[in-house]
Amino acid sequence: MASFGVTMKVPPYYSKMHSGNLAIVLDNGVDYDSFPAFAKKWASKLSLKITGRVDGVEERIWECKHDGYSYWLTYDNWFPQISLEPQNTEAGEHIFTIGLALGLINNTEPDIASNSGPAEQPGNSEVTREPPSAS
């Protein structure tokens, strides 16, 4: 099997969301049908109170609370994983409490892997661009 230099992270790990908040990827190998079992496992492990469920055609979202903060346990068909995503900035700040319980470090640097693809490989720092011509 060919290797393309992409390293898959082993969950749990932080993932940057488009909102700027961090989510926690909890598990890989999730699909639409297996999501409820994964969600129940993580809800129990993290002491999440499930408050609502939405099942769409291509995604599943369970609303939940942790220490009064609102989160979503999510799956969509783009990525075979379950994530815990904050619903707002306050929950986004509180997610580090959950991460600590999972043994994650509080790493808020901008290079935290996201779902946008593999991180840039080291050694590309010599690539330069010339300024646009002033015509």
Side-chain angles (χ1 to χ4, degrees):
M1 192 167 180
S3 172
F4 297 101
V6 176
T7 304
M8 296 298 293
K9 286 189 167 190
V10 176
Y13 60 86
Y14 291 112
S15 177
K16 190 154 189 159
M17 298 171 53
H18 291 287
S19 67
N21 285 323
L22 295 178
I24 299 175
V25 175
L26 299 168
D27 252 321
N28 287 329
V30 179
D31 62 28
Y32 188 89
D33 293 328
S34 67
F35 173 81
F38 279 96
K40 288 176 187 175
K41 174 184 96 169
W42 284 104
S44 176
K45 184 172 185 168
L46 299 175
S47 301
L48 302 173
K49 180 181 179 192
I50 304 301
T51 59
R53 298 175 188 188
V54 177
D55 292 324
V57 175
E58 298 180 351
E59 68 181 332
R60 298 183 98 161
I61 301 169
W62 285 16
E63 296 177 353
C64 53
K65 298 267 188 189
H66 185 273
D67 290 343
Y69 296 94
S70 298
Y71 292 92
W72 292 294
L73 280 170
T74 67
Y75 161 80
D76 68 50
N77 69 351
W78 286 99
F79 301 99
Q81 61 193 24
I82 183 171
S83 299
L84 182 67
E85 300 179 359
Q87 290 188 24
N88 53 44
T89 303
E90 293 79 17
E93 293 169 1
H94 178 260
I95 203 159
F96 293 114
T97 301
I98 297 169
L100 284 172
L102 294 171
L104 300 177
I105 59 169
N106 183 349
N107 183 353
T108 58
E109 295 187 22
D111 65 344
I112 291 175
S114 68
N115 291 336
S116 61
E120 182 177 330
Q121 296 297 315
N124 293 337
S125 60
E126 294 183 24
V127 176
T128 59
R129 294 185 181 173
E130 292 186 25
S133 62
S135 40

